[in-house]
Amino acid sequence: MYSYYNPSPYGKNVGDCTVRAISKATGKDWGETYLALAIQGYLDGDMPSANAVWGSYLHSLGYRRYIVPDTCPLCYTVGQFADEHPAGTYILALSGHVVCVQDGTIFDSWDSSNETVIYFWVKETE
């Protein structure tokens, strides 16, 4: 299932998918998430949206990354992932996009259910 989600204070939805997805997953507002990623980017010497930067940030919050099994690397979609994960909060990395799936629902500013999942993050510690 898809649910529209865009916490941007200005309603923009280009270039901030990482901020939106992490904001939804962590329950933090858009501004707090943006600033945390910007600080992590500064510390890492890279852009806040770089995979390594937001990965480091998620890792510091107790998240762990998992690679999608290679049984069908080009056909496992966000929609299938959501259907197979009816409980929990996940941050999915796609090709050039990041999205949050929470309790089987895809939260995004557009319906990304047909996009291919590359890897995902899930919180391992409370």
Side-chain angles (χ1 to χ4, degrees):
M1 175 171 41
Y2 162 73
S3 181
Y4 179 81
Y5 178 75
N6 186 359
S8 169
Y10 301 105
K12 297 182 180 185
N13 69 352
V14 176
D16 71 335
C17 60
T18 304
V19 178
R20 291 193 316 265
I22 293 174
S23 169
K24 179 63 179 167
T26 61
K28 297 178 181 182
D29 71 31
W30 187 93
E32 181 181 357
T33 304
Y34 179 90
L35 286 173
L37 290 171
I39 291 167
Q40 187 68 54
Y42 174 79
L43 294 172
D44 293 353
D46 206 345
M47 297 303 294
S49 60
N51 291 346
V53 171
W54 63 268
S56 287
Y57 176 67
L58 288 176
H59 189 262
S60 75
L61 296 179
Y63 284 77
R64 183 167 176 200
R65 184 181 66 190
Y66 293 89
I67 304 299
V68 172
D70 197 25
T71 54
C72 186
L74 301 177
C75 67
Y76 190 56
T77 67
V78 173
Q80 289 169 319
F81 185 96
D83 288 344
E84 293 177 10
H85 296 83
T89 300
Y90 305 88
I91 300 167
L92 283 57
L94 319 177
S95 179
H97 190 56
V98 181
V99 63
C100 177
V101 170
Q102 192 169 60
D103 297 331
T105 300
I106 302 161
F107 289 93
D108 205 348
S109 63
W110 57 282
D111 187 354
S112 55
S113 61
N114 290 322
E115 299 297 313
T116 303
V117 181
I118 300 171
Y119 60 89
F120 64 93
W121 290 86
V122 62
K123 191 163 186 178
E124 295 287 317
T125 59
E126 292 301 319

